[in-house]
Amino acid sequence: MANFFSASQEEQQEILLTFWQRFKVLIIGAFLAIAVIIVGRDFLISTSNENDFISATLYQQYLETDDESSGNQILDNYPDSIYSDFVRLNEAKKNFINQEIEQAIDLLEAVIANNPSSSVEFNPIRAAAQTRLAKIYLQEEDYEKVIIVFGENQILTSSMYELIGDAQNNLGKYSEARTNYMLALQNSTNQASRALINMKISDLEGGEIE
């Protein structure tokens, strides 16, 4: 580069011409690659925004009309979107009310699978699906599955701790049930819920402690 700046104008032009002839393919390729990246990025952003708008519109239509076909269209075309999870949660609720328990379980499990567990960040959609699924298992007296639903290494809410405590209480694991009821109590700010949890803890006093 020092030779370039000290060269005459004609020499500089000759150096530039030589440089261009030697590296023009690489230079053109680099510019084309940059152009492709920019166009591709803009296309992906545009497509993503368009998909979000379409799925949001379909979900709004689904809510307003309770149109199952709109819900199915979201599930088919946007299976991994947040709106698909909303549809699954709503359909699971309807299945449960209609005593279609297995269908409700399948939908809730799909939501959970679509929202991986995290020990750092709380996921409200995953939590809602887990809580509803645990309540179903509790009603079906499948207590071990209630505990399995919540797994390990994730942030739990007061309701989750309480459901685990209910399951352990029914399994005769009174000491573990008390621990989870206490955790539920610590994480609850609702006075009615706290009163109910305290009653459950009091009821454990007569049980055999492990």
Side-chain angles (χ1 to χ4, degrees):
M1 293 300 285
N3 291 335
F4 177 81
F5 286 114
S6 62
S8 67
Q9 184 175 354
E10 290 182 359
E11 289 173 331
Q12 290 176 11
Q13 290 175 348
E14 186 177 347
I15 292 171
L16 287 173
L17 181 61
T18 303
F19 182 84
W20 168 253
Q21 288 175 342
R22 289 182 61 186
F23 300 105
K24 62 182 178 181
V25 174
L26 291 176
I27 294 171
I28 293 172
F31 278 116
L32 286 175
I34 292 171
V36 169
I37 291 171
I38 293 173
V39 171
R41 183 200 63 185
D42 291 344
F43 175 76
L44 288 174
I45 292 173
S46 176
T47 302
S48 176
N49 290 338
E50 183 179 354
N51 288 340
D52 287 343
F53 176 76
I54 294 172
S55 57
T57 302
L58 284 171
Y59 183 68
Q60 185 66 29
Q61 180 181 337
Y62 165 76
L63 288 179
E64 292 175 350
T65 63
D66 200 23
D67 182 10
E68 188 174 347
S69 63
S70 296
N72 289 333
Q73 192 173 348
I74 294 172
L75 294 176
D76 292 339
N77 297 332
Y78 313 100
D80 297 325
S81 73
I82 189 172
Y83 297 106
S84 285
D85 287 333
F86 288 157
V87 170
R88 293 185 185 103
L89 287 171
N90 194 53
E91 289 298 315
K93 180 181 178 180
K94 291 193 288 187
N95 287 146
F96 179 74
I97 292 173
N98 294 329
Q99 292 299 306
E100 297 168 340
I101 304 301
E102 289 303 319
Q103 292 92 323
I105 290 174
D106 289 343
L107 287 168
L108 293 171
E109 287 180 341
V111 175
I112 294 170
N114 204 34
N115 293 270
S117 174
S118 172
S119 60
V120 178
E121 186 175 351
F122 179 73
N123 187 325
I125 296 177
R126 179 183 175 87
Q130 287 178 303
T131 300
R132 295 183 186 185
L133 184 57
K135 287 180 178 179
I136 291 176
Y137 285 141
L138 196 63
Q139 177 179 289
E140 296 296 303
E141 300 182 358
D142 201 342
Y143 305 122
E144 292 287 356
K145 285 187 178 179
V146 173
I147 300 171
I148 292 172
V149 162
F150 297 112
E152 298 178 356
N153 300 322
Q154 73 168 85
I155 300 171
L156 300 180
T157 65
S158 175
S159 296
M160 292 175 173
Y161 282 122
E162 184 178 358
L163 286 166
I164 295 172
D166 290 342
Q168 290 168 333
N169 185 22
N170 281 284
L171 288 169
K173 299 179 179 180
Y174 304 117
S175 180
E176 295 176 24
R178 178 179 286 103
T179 297
N180 280 286
Y181 283 147
M182 293 299 296
L183 288 170
L185 200 61
Q186 292 173 15
N187 285 273
S188 177
T189 57
N190 183 284
Q191 292 302 317
S193 296
R194 289 176 62 86
L196 179 60
I197 296 168
N198 274 318
M199 288 177 61
K200 291 180 178 181
I201 294 173
S202 296
D203 290 341
L204 284 173
E205 295 302 325
E208 180 181 351
I209 306 301
E210 295 176 349

